[in-house]
Amino acid sequence: MNVSDLLHDAVDDIEPADRIDAIRARTASAPTRAARPWFHAAGGVVLATAATVAAFAVLDDSPPPDHGSMTMPTGTQVVPVYFTGRDAAADRLFREFDTVPAGDPAQAALDRLQQPPTDPDYATSWTPGAFGKVTVDGRAINVELDVNDLSDRLAVQQVVYTVQAAVGERLPVYFWLEGQRGNAPYMADPGVLSPVLISDPSDGLAVHGHVTARGAAPAGGPVRWEVRRDDGTVVAHGAATISGRAWRARVGVHDLPFGFYTFVASVGPDSDTRTIIVR
């Protein structure tokens, strides 16, 4: 995959404001700039460049989760949250759409990031109490940090991708500690994303008859899908329909016995998985 593809993939995984608002509809002031910076940017984190900013200006075609047929609890919303996981090559970021209390979406997503992910294949580098408030001033996203450690590049990118997706814009992210702003902004690094992501089904979803699977992948695919038993036996498989960088597949489970299965979407050696329950 070339740099252009990676940058476009990064765009694919930011849900524009209109898409996030549509999800929420279906479910029911920044710190003062400090005079003295308290840390320097961690080595290896990608900062804003002209090429990156230009790529981020493209609206994505990665589908949000389909909650239209689900009844969401009153007083909740759905937010995208990025967790760490392992693909064929390295530790990467994967995405969940999680139900959280209603309110400021960026704060809700940041709070969710400090809790264990729904999918047991994923993990988070952050623990409760790591963050304070998150605010947006129209030019940047400001995250209050309660720990003076940004040495873990992937952990930093968890925060960057999560708050940018919640806000719906690729704004620079500044970290603050004890009222002081870091002297360099962080931007999303497309190199840390898994090449293939599943939006639907959610992990642990109970299905009957068929399930519509959707997600994001590099333009051109192909995206292959499989349904596997616990022992790894493939009991159903096929290819997804691709539009831009969004993929979609109708997965029939009519003939499968009741039980737990693993749905796998893959592009070459890279994949994302979800547990589904056939009932």
Side-chain angles (χ1 to χ4, degrees), residues 90-138:
D91 291 333
R92 299 282 182 85
L93 292 186
F94 293 80
R95 182 184 61 198
E96 285 188 352
F97 287 94
D98 289 329
T99 303
V100 298
D104 175 41
Q107 188 69 56
L110 194 63
D111 292 344
R112 178 68 185 88
L113 190 63
Q114 301 169 72
Q115 304 295 330
T118 302
D119 192 325
D121 293 332
Y122 302 158
T124 183
S125 301
W126 302 97
T127 56
F131 304 108
K133 292 183 178 180
V134 55
T135 56
V136 184
D137 63 12

Side-chain angles (χ1 to χ4, degrees), residues 39-47 149-153 156 183-186:
F39 69 90
H40 296 280
V45 175
V46 174
L47 302 182
D149 183 8
L150 293 178
S151 60
D152 186 333
R153 172 177 174 240
V156 170
N183 69 333
Y186 290 82

Side-chain angles (χ1 to χ4, degrees), residues 51-278:
T52 305
V53 172
F56 289 156
V58 181
L59 291 180
D60 77 90
D61 50 11
S62 170
D66 184 6
H67 293 287
S69 61
M70 300 173 61
T71 302
M72 306 304 294
T74 302
T76 64
Q77 62 182 331
V78 174
V79 294
V81 185
Y82 287 79
F83 293 104
T84 61
R86 185 80 181 177
D87 69 7
D91 291 333
R92 299 282 182 85
L93 292 186
F94 293 80
R95 182 184 61 198
E96 285 188 352
F97 287 94
D98 289 329
T99 303
V100 298
D104 175 41
Q107 188 69 56
L110 194 63
D111 292 344
R112 178 68 185 88
L113 190 63
Q114 301 169 72
Q115 304 295 330
T118 302
D119 192 325
D121 293 332
Y122 302 158
T124 183
S125 301
W126 302 97
T127 56
F131 304 108
K133 292 183 178 180
V134 55
T135 56
V136 184
D137 63 12
R139 294 172 297 177
I141 303 171
N142 302 280
V143 177
E144 294 181 358
L145 191 65
D146 290 339
V147 291
N148 186 359
D149 183 8
L150 293 178
S151 60
D152 186 333
R153 172 177 174 240
L154 199 59
V156 170
Q157 287 296 309
Q158 270 193 275
V159 180
V160 172
Y161 267 98
T162 295
V163 295
Q164 286 183 344
V167 170
E169 292 186 73
R170 285 291 189 211
L171 296 175
V173 177
Y174 285 94
F175 289 94
W176 293 68
L177 182 69
E178 298 178 351
Q180 298 185 23
R181 192 186 78 170
N183 69 333
Y186 290 82
M187 291 297 291
D189 176 0
V192 303
L193 277 181
S194 170
V196 57
L197 297 171
I198 296 174
S199 297
D200 282 318
S202 58
D203 200 67
L205 181 69
V207 299
H208 177 70
H210 78 277
V211 57
T212 299
R214 305 189 302 167
V223 177
R224 305 291 181 182
W225 62 264
E226 295 179 343
V227 177
R228 300 174 183 170
R229 292 197 309 233
D230 285 345
D231 63 3
T233 302
V234 176
V235 293
H237 63 89
T241 300
I242 302 173
S243 176
R245 289 167 295 279
W247 61 266
R248 181 186 183 100
R250 182 181 174 90
V251 180
V253 295
H254 310 77
D255 300 328
L256 299 182
F258 290 3
F260 289 80
Y261 297 83
T262 300
F263 175 79
V264 183
S266 61
V267 176
D270 300 304
S271 65
D272 195 8
T273 65
R274 292 288 188 270
T275 297
I276 59 174
I277 307 168
V278 176

